Amino acid sequence: MAEASVVTGAAAARHEEQGFWGFTRAQAIAFLAMSAVVVVSPFLLYPVFLMKVLCFALFACAFNLLVGYVGLLSFGHAAYFGMGAYITGYAAKAWGVPPELAILMGGAIGAALGLPFGWLAIRRSGIYFSMITLALAQMVFFFCLQAPFTGGEDGIQAIPRGTLLGVFDLTADFTMYWLVAFIFLAGFLLIHRIVHSPFGQVMKAIRDNEPRATSLGYRVEQYKLMAFVLSAALAGIAGGTKALVFNIATLTDVRWTMSGEVVLMSLVGGLGTVFGPVVGAAVIVTMQNYLAEFGAWVLVIQGAIFIACVLAFRRGVVGEIGNALRVKL
Amino acid sequence: MGLEDLLFELQMAMPQVILGVINGAFYALLSLGLAVIFGMLNVINFAHGAQFMMGAFVAWMLLAYVGIGYWPALLLAPLIVGAVGVAMERLMISRLYKLDHLYGLLLTFGCALVIEGLFRNTFGSSGQRYAPPREFQALNLELGDFFLPGYRVWVLIAASTICLATWLVIERTKVGSYLRAATERPQLVQAFGINVPLMMTLTYGAGVALAAFAGVLAAPIYSVHPAMGANFIITVFAVVVIGGMGSIMGSIVTGFLLGFLQGLTEVVYPPFSQTVVFVIMAVVLLTRPAGLFGRA
């Protein structure tokens, strides 16, 4: 009865011609267009806003790696994002760690958390997986609420951006932007590479038919766990980058609402599409920016978008465009 | 340590443990509703916490605006919120039965955000006080230094009664047998001439009404505020994972048990009390992934 997977709607074209870096021709064009937007936009728009978009775009791409290509919907990705932010912030502020290392530490803590959490959560699938990841993330939230190094309700404030590689002073927004843009594009390409590697093919096989992948001799658990850890590590990097951009890491980053936001971004853009999470993140961050003064209405509107997407718009923006153009984006 | 010391320790621990069991009563009521809904609809009702909060708010509004007191509210609020649930099922959730179960989770998550946002816009983030009726003072329990307000005694009685009644209806009545049959084989039951879609709608309404009932019970204990449900529901999800959603009695027992354990933790090592449920969930996942009462 309920066999249609969350993502099969988005996977329009089954036979994909593998070009450079796993891009099809349409995807290569879209990627070039996206890179052009990333390069040009800081000259036109406020860099801090753009950096926020890029951080969340990377976060959503990391989340999408798991739901889109392994079919596991995590409802607890705020844990890795938030802990990444805290660790990067703490390392940069308390220990004076240079930014490139601090961000990598954020990714490392994401992976370190993702390993045991993923190991536990992949014991169940479907809805249970979502509930388990949510519950484990809530545990991290309570930990952050009480642990001394997070600063409780105040969070870690005045995190210094530092000097990249000892050369580039990141206090200027414009310089910081290029670092964030580099991290985003590198993360995006890495995810694309993972998805189109032999490893990624097995991931998709597990998503589409887990018993068959098992019967072909693949150790399904190991693949799921590996994907989980990669996704958590990238989420940690996104969180760490965000902490440097805004000089702050707070409980908002680890709260369950943040887990919901990343689900929403991917859903709006299109679950299981390559570019969907990026578009979704841009849409949601822009919306939050304009609605910030309306307080709790943001919650209502986000909820309404959730409902509308699930009821009428399951392919998401990019999924719909791809479907109309008959290409896989 | 002499016997007297031990008794003294126990007496000191009692209030926390009883508070834990009262929390457990809410876990039981909420996870019971989730289990009933999931069994029939295959939907994890993320809006359950928001509906719990609505129950508390409807009771508060009935008192503040209309002057209707606690006892009628105990019946009216679940009916009103249940009716909202029926509308939600008919308008939205019923369109998702043929899709992946995850969409049900996402949809109800959206509903939870909308409901919480609307209440926050109307009433702000601060809590409203809902005083328990005075007659509960007759139930006050006093044993030496130990004092338990009568209202909490009532919560334990009411929650256990409703849990048992729900169990009886599902396991021991004809309607319940239809429900169990439709959970296993909906097409077959429909072929026997039973209106399965109607049953699904009413089941959702009943599960939501249970949440609202828990909300009314909770109103005098916790302050009535828009986030009260969200705080509860994630812990209840962990409870559901621990118990497994296979059995009605299982979710009731697990709910009370975890509340009790949480209370004990509050005595032994307070900072750990909020996370203990999640740690127990991890242990259960390692040893019995299907849950204590679940079927794999």
Side-chain angles (χ1 to χ4, degrees), chain A residues 2-3 28 56 58 79 93 107 110 140-141 143-144 163 167 171 182 194 198 200 208 247 261 326:
Chain A
E3 288 305 318
F56 278 100
L58 180 61
K93 190 178 175 185
V140 173
F141 172 77
F143 169 76
C144 292
T163 315
V167 181
T171 27
F182 171 78
I194 292 169
D208 293 336
N247 315 105
E261 263 173 43
R326 295 181 178 280

Side-chain angles (χ1 to χ4, degrees), chain A residues 2 6 124 127 146 297 314, chain B residues 44 98-99 103 121 271 274 289:
Chain A
V6 175
R124 304 298 305 269
I127 296 172
Q146 291 169 342
W297 282 113
R314 280 186 287 273
Chain B
I44 277 291
K98 289 198 169 56
L99 299 170
Y103 282 118
N121 274 327
Q274 278 176 310

Side-chain angles (χ1 to χ4, degrees), chain A residues 314-327:
Chain A
R314 280 186 287 273
R315 287 198 191 101
V317 175
V318 172
E320 291 289 348
I321 294 173
N323 196 48
L325 298 174
R326 295 181 178 280
V327 290

Side-chain angles (χ1 to χ4, degrees), chain A residues 48-278:
Chain A
V48 175
F49 164 76
L50 292 170
M51 286 191 275
K52 187 176 180 190
V53 171
L54 291 180
C55 289
F56 278 100
L58 180 61
F59 184 26
C61 285
F63 166 81
N64 188 47
L65 173 67
L66 206 52
V67 67
Y69 299 101
V70 202
L72 295 172
L73 189 132
S74 159
F75 233 108
H77 255 48
Y80 321 113
F81 183 80
M83 274 307 265
Y86 273 127
I87 295 299
T88 302
Y90 192 79
K93 190 178 175 185
W95 300 332
V97 171
E100 63 277 8
L101 200 61
I103 289 173
L104 284 177
M105 286 169 75
I109 193 73
L113 263 185
L115 189 65
F117 283 11
W119 186 64
L120 282 171
I122 59 172
R123 284 157 191 265
R124 304 298 305 269
S125 56
I127 296 172
Y128 280 98
F129 179 86
S130 306
M131 287 198 288
I132 293 164
T133 45
L134 175 65
L136 291 171
Q138 189 72 355
M139 193 164 81
V140 173
F141 172 77
F142 284 128
F143 169 76
C144 292
L145 190 65
Q146 291 169 342
F149 82 97
T150 59
E153 299 278 351
D154 297 331
I156 305 177
Q157 296 180 1
I159 300 166
R161 284 183 186 169
T163 315
L164 180 65
L165 302 171
V167 181
F168 304 102
D169 184 9
L170 294 175
T171 27
D173 286 340
F174 214 68
T175 324
M176 186 71 199
Y177 179 85
W178 297 116
L179 173 65
V180 176
F182 171 78
I183 292 171
F184 163 71
L185 287 174
F188 184 91
L189 285 172
L190 176 68
I191 290 171
H192 200 74
R193 190 60 256 173
I194 292 169
V195 168
H196 290 88
S197 65
F199 171 80
Q201 297 298 335
V202 180
M203 267 167 42
K204 284 181 262 184
I206 293 169
R207 175 193 72 193
D208 293 336
N209 195 335
E210 187 173 333
R212 183 176 283 182
T214 311
S215 76
L216 286 172
Y218 292 108
R219 293 188 188 275
V220 171
E221 268 72 34
Q222 289 180 4
Y223 281 89
K224 283 184 177 176
L225 183 57
M226 191 67 202
F228 197 105
V229 172
L230 283 169
S231 173
L234 286 163
I237 288 182
T241 315
K242 203 224 81 170
L244 285 190
V245 169
F246 289 96
N247 315 105
I248 190 168
T250 62
L251 286 172
T252 315
D253 301 332
V254 273
R255 193 167 276 143
W256 60 272
T257 40
M258 183 61 83
S259 299
E261 263 173 43
V262 75
V263 178
L264 181 61
M265 287 170 187
S266 307
L267 187 66
V268 166
L271 291 172
T273 61
V274 180
F275 297 93
V278 182

Side-chain angles (χ1 to χ4, degrees), chain B residues 68-186:
Chain B
I68 293 179
Y70 178 81
W71 293 106
L74 208 50
L75 185 68
L76 277 176
L79 281 178
I80 294 169
V81 181
V84 175
V86 165
M88 274 173 64
E89 197 277 344
R90 276 294 84 203
L91 290 173
M92 297 187 284
I93 300 172
S94 60
R95 293 159 195 261
L96 301 177
Y97 293 143
K98 289 198 169 56
L99 299 170
D100 193 296
H101 303 337
L102 289 172
Y103 282 118
L105 181 77
L106 295 178
L107 179 87
T108 48
F109 180 75
C111 293
L113 290 185
V114 170
I115 295 170
E116 198 184 316
L118 286 176
F119 274 87
R120 216 184 269 182
N121 274 327
T122 320
F123 300 101
S125 300
S126 57
Q128 313 282 351
R129 232 181 73 81
Y130 187 93
R134 222 169 264 157
E135 52 260 39
F136 287 114
Q137 284 170 5
L139 285 172
N140 284 356
L141 271 184
E142 252 183 294
L143 295 165
D145 287 338
F146 171 66
F147 173 76
L148 185 66
Y151 185 75
R152 305 205 173 206
V153 180
W154 157 248
V155 166
L156 280 180
I157 297 170
S160 332
T161 314
I162 290 292
C163 284
L164 280 178
T166 311
W167 178 78
L168 274 176
V169 167
I170 291 174
E171 297 290 336
R172 294 284 182 272
T173 65
K174 189 140 200 176
V175 179
S177 71
Y178 291 161
L179 200 82
R180 278 177 291 134
T183 304
E184 302 263 329
R185 297 283 287 276

Side-chain angles (χ1 to χ4, degrees), chain B residues 192-205:
Chain B
F192 286 151
I194 292 163
N195 189 342
V196 173
L198 178 70
M199 275 179 74
M200 290 172 118
T201 308
L202 293 179
T203 306
Y204 188 76

